[in-house]
Amino acid sequence: MTDTDVTAGDAAARRSVDSVWRIESAQIVATLTKLTGDLGLAEDLAQEALLEALEQWPRDGVPRNPGAWLTMVAKRRAIDGWRRRAALDERYRSLARDLEQASDLDWEPIGDDVLRLVFTACHPVLSRESQVALTLRVVSGLTTQEIARMLLVPVPTVQARITRAKKTLAAANVHFEAPDPAEWPRRLSAVLGVVYLLFTEGYAATSGPTWIRADLANEALRLGRRLVALVPREPEAHALVALMEFQASRFAARVAPDGSAILLADQHRERWDRAQIVRGSAALSRADALGRGRGAYALQAAIAQCHSVAPSVAATDWEQIVILYEALGRIAPNPVVELNRAIAVSMATGPATALRIVDGLADDASLRGSHLIPSVRGELLARLGRTEEARSELLTAAHLAANDRERDVLLRKAAGLPQ
């Protein structure tokens, strides 16, 4: 074997490890946390298994069930640690018997383990900010940079929150176990928030080469459906599932065969998944039927429903969408909500009014360094005929965008403006 062959094998193995970790990290960490009762130790064991994979897979090939391979290696490392500490208790003996009897490495993802991990990371001993940051890091495998962009905060802030959260859980002796139903209300808001952010990153990735990360979006939708089964009387759980169903219904129409992004105005609506739209409408109806009024997820779901039932962009009920965004902005103030409201206003009443809304957000610290404001300003300026200003804003947005596909869209828009 030549040096070139070795290098190629190493690169292929690393791609395999990265792919497996991206897809199955939540299952692996959840299983290890259930085994050890220690979230930090579970993450360490998983990372050690990844290092072992990078050593062995180039030489021996990628195993048939790579996720199970990583889990089994991590479990064996846990046993080695217990043996070294002479802690041969019943947990060790039971696990050792299971390993001796195992004849295959079949991988059977257990959804309850992942949901239990979400509830654990959203423990009330943590601040809301720490709950969200830790859960996103552990359950999704997102980098701290990606989480920072999602939360509109600096990377060091996210890193500090995650570190502090782990130390707090350890100090509070929090074990990996599902909370009693009486504790669910205290954690549900954070759990729903994490599922929502997980889906959002899957719907429109903040970085990387792909426009959509279907693995994240599908996992979020699965978790949302499981949550509804747990708390069928919680309207916002139904509403979040409705929102995700509506948004996921457009996936097939949002990406071209070459992977490039297709924006809403250019999508072939016959490719939208009508079954998912029906499921979304049913979920929103169930949320409304509980009679507690619409919360933040229900309002967003109603906005998504307006898009889903419209035959075209021009025929969309933009005035209703503006009203829904105004209500959303009152109960969940957020600069991104205001930007989206500005886009709706531009469609309902024109770009001049919308531009004033966007300019009012220019000094918002949470959007500093984001591509969002210049991208929206560029669109509005272009519609107002202020071509040079529009081109400058779109190029600025392209420079700031971390997602390759989104950057391409912005550059194409800038290049398409009249000279």
Side-chain angles (χ1 to χ4, degrees):
M1 180 179 291
T2 66
D3 291 342
T4 302
D5 293 333
V6 172
T7 301
D10 288 347
R14 178 170 291 278
R15 287 194 297 272
S16 296
V17 171
D18 289 344
S19 177
V20 171
W21 184 250
R22 186 173 61 252
I23 295 170
E24 304 198 53
S25 60
Q27 301 283 359
I28 294 169
V29 174
T31 300
L32 296 172
T33 307
K34 184 178 182 180
L35 169 70
T36 64
D38 186 325
L39 177 60
L41 176 59
E43 287 195 296
D44 291 342
L45 290 169
Q47 293 296 327
E48 290 175 11
L50 285 175
L51 292 174
E52 190 163 331
L54 288 172
E55 292 178 3
Q56 290 193 26
W57 291 7
R59 182 183 66 244
D60 302 334
V62 178
R64 180 169 60 87
N65 293 304
W69 189 97
L70 289 168
T71 303
M72 196 66 72
V73 167
K75 284 182 177 181
R76 286 175 177 146
R77 285 182 175 270
I79 292 175
D80 290 341
W82 292 334
R83 181 184 292 117
R84 285 192 298 270
R85 293 189 301 269
L88 300 177
D89 56 11
E90 181 56 32
R91 174 185 283 175
Y92 164 68
R93 291 192 294 271
S94 175
L95 179 61
R97 286 194 297 270
D98 291 343
L99 289 175
E100 290 171 0
Q101 295 168 2
S103 59
D104 197 3
L105 291 179
D106 289 333
W107 178 238
E108 297 180 1
I110 302 174
D112 286 343
D113 280 351
V114 177
L115 194 54
R116 191 178 296 112
L117 182 59
V118 174
F119 269 101
T120 299
C122 290
H123 196 283
V125 300
L126 303 177
S127 69
R128 173 63 182 272
E129 294 80 8
S130 294
Q131 290 172 348
V132 172
L134 176 64
T135 312
L136 285 173
R137 182 71 183 95
V138 173
V139 173
S140 69
L142 294 173
T143 67
T144 52
Q145 290 82 2
E146 290 168 331
I147 295 171
R149 281 191 287 269
M150 291 173 64
L151 301 180
L152 302 177
V153 297
V155 172
T157 299
V158 171
Q159 293 171 332
R161 288 176 183 176
I162 293 172
T163 300
R164 187 164 56 249
K166 291 179 180 178
K167 291 180 178 178
T168 302
L169 289 176
N173 197 28
V174 173
H175 294 291
F176 180 70
E177 57 187 13
D180 293 332
E183 295 182 42
W184 291 352
R186 297 177 65 193
R187 307 190 189 197
L188 187 60
S189 175
V191 171
L192 289 171
V194 166
V195 174
Y196 169 74
L197 289 170
L198 191 63
F199 181 86
T200 300
E201 177 65 16
Y203 179 80
T206 57
S207 64
T210 59
W211 179 242
I212 294 173
R213 293 185 60 178
D215 56 327
L216 290 181
N218 290 336
E219 175 66 0
L221 185 51
R222 185 190 68 79
L223 289 173
R225 290 167 177 163
R226 296 300 296 268
L227 274 172
V228 164
L230 279 178
V231 288
R233 300 294 300 170
E234 289 293 337
E236 281 291 83
H238 290 283
L240 177 55
V241 170
L243 172 61
M244 292 189 291
E245 296 279 16
F246 286 133
Q247 300 289 56
S249 72
R250 303 203 291 267
F251 278 3
R254 293 185 71 231
V255 181
D258 64 358
S260 59
I262 303 176
L263 300 182
L264 182 65
D266 301 318
Q267 290 173 19
H268 294 290
R269 298 191 175 212
E270 66 274 9
R271 298 196 65 201
W272 290 2
D273 189 330
R274 294 297 158 184
Q276 279 203 296
I277 293 173
V278 169
R279 289 198 296 271
S281 296
L284 183 56
S285 294
R286 285 192 290 271
D288 288 339
L290 289 168
R292 295 187 224 165
R294 287 181 169 176
Y297 298 122
L299 289 169
Q300 291 179 79
I303 292 168
Q305 186 180 44
C306 287
H307 289 294
S308 297
V309 300
S312 66
V313 170
T316 301
D317 190 347
W318 290 106
E319 292 184 358
Q320 177 66 11
I321 290 176
V322 170
I323 292 171
L324 290 168
Y325 270 124
E326 287 174 349
L328 179 61
R330 292 190 185 99
I331 66 172
N334 185 295
V336 177
V337 170
E338 280 298 285
L339 273 178
N340 284 322
R341 182 173 75 89
I343 294 171
V345 167
S346 77
M347 300 300 293
T349 62
T353 303
L355 185 60
R356 288 194 290 272
I357 297 173
V358 176
D359 287 344
L361 297 170
D363 294 329
D364 192 296
S366 63
L367 292 178
R368 193 168 297 128
S370 169
H371 71 288
L372 295 175
I373 285 184
S375 66
V376 175
R377 286 197 87 249
E379 292 277 354
L380 299 176
L381 290 167
R383 290 177 56 190
L384 288 168
R386 294 160 61 177
T387 305
E388 289 307 314
E389 293 174 83
R391 182 179 292 107
S392 175
E393 291 286 351
L394 291 171
L395 291 175
T396 297
H399 174 73
L400 294 172
N403 182 277
D404 297 345
R405 300 299 181 179
E406 190 160 22
R407 186 183 306 111
D408 291 343
V409 168
L410 293 165
L411 289 174
R412 287 201 305 270
K413 286 183 179 181
L417 292 173
Q419 296 295 325

